[in-house]
Amino acid sequence: MSTTLNRTVLAADLRGSGGLFENLGNASATSLVTHCVASLGEVVDAWGGVVFKTLGDGLVATFVSAQDACGCAEHLHAQLRRLPEMDRVERAQLFVPQLRLRVALATGEVIEQDGDYFGDAVNVAARLIELTGDDEVLVTDSVLEAVPAELRASFRSLDRLAIRGRLEPV
């Protein structure tokens, strides 16, 4: 059974994980990347989000509140920076600082079906992340419209961006 909902979708992607495989080997790099993504997932959970997809070195989650999704995005970056201090594994202390995080948010109607989410907001967040720089968060106008004015003031406009697979810019 499917349900139509209004949600904010957060897509997060680790950059630099490819180099870990060269430096650490497949098993160790996989372990480290998996550990990082799991740690990011814990932050999503703490902010009331639901991770519905992990993509190797990234994740996609939904939030009822755009404000919570924005707060989570900020804390995802902080969590990645804190991981070497939190993790007693020497390899993590050496290699996590090489990783960078990109986060993109879009708000809109989604279809929830058997714990997975579909819809334009999911697609926009997933494509917007391709344009996001390291250690940045990009959000759509729909996210900004859903947060309080005092939070809106902390964002700056990049104008409209063309994203892959979409006729109209966001």
Side-chain angles (χ1 to χ4, degrees):
M1 174 151 174
S2 61
T3 306
T4 302
L5 305 163
N6 189 45
R7 293 289 185 266
T8 297
V9 179
L10 178 149
D13 177 56
L14 289 173
R15 300 257 302 151
S17 61
L20 295 179
F21 288 87
E22 182 180 347
N23 290 317
L24 296 175
N26 289 338
S28 293
T30 298
S31 177
L32 181 56
V33 169
T34 302
H35 173 69
C36 288
V37 172
S39 182
L40 297 176
E42 292 170 7
V43 174
V44 170
D45 290 342
W47 279 89
V50 176
V51 175
F52 68 91
K53 194 168 297 211
T54 58
L55 311 162
D57 63 355
L59 59 80
V60 186
T62 62
F63 290 81
V64 173
S65 161
Q67 186 170 353
D68 288 346
C70 290
C72 178
E74 182 179 343
H75 281 88
L76 288 173
H77 288 284
Q79 180 76 354
L80 186 62
R81 287 190 302 271
R82 272 196 317 269
L83 270 179
E85 300 163 8
M86 296 165 48
D87 198 332
R88 298 181 194 273
V89 178
E90 185 176 321
R91 288 186 187 275
Q93 292 173 342
L94 293 173
F95 291 101
V96 170
Q98 296 175 18
L99 297 175
R100 298 291 177 254
L101 186 65
R102 306 182 299 175
V103 180
L105 302 170
T107 295
E109 187 177 273
V110 297
I111 305 294
E112 186 274 327
Q113 183 173 332
D114 300 324
D116 204 353
Y117 291 80
F118 305 90
D120 193 48
V122 176
N123 296 332
V124 168
R127 298 297 184 236
L128 191 58
I129 202 158
E130 297 169 358
L131 302 176
T132 306
D134 292 349
D135 302 322
E136 284 185 343
V137 178
L138 285 183
V139 304
T140 61
D141 282 346
S142 60
V143 173
L144 288 179
E145 291 167 4
V147 299
E150 61 271 8
L151 181 58
R152 247 181 269 141
S154 66
F155 289 86
R156 65 183 174 93
S157 177
L158 297 178
D159 206 4
R160 299 181 66 73
L161 299 173
I163 60 173
R164 183 169 55 91
R166 207 174 148 90
L167 296 175
E168 293 294 320
V170 296

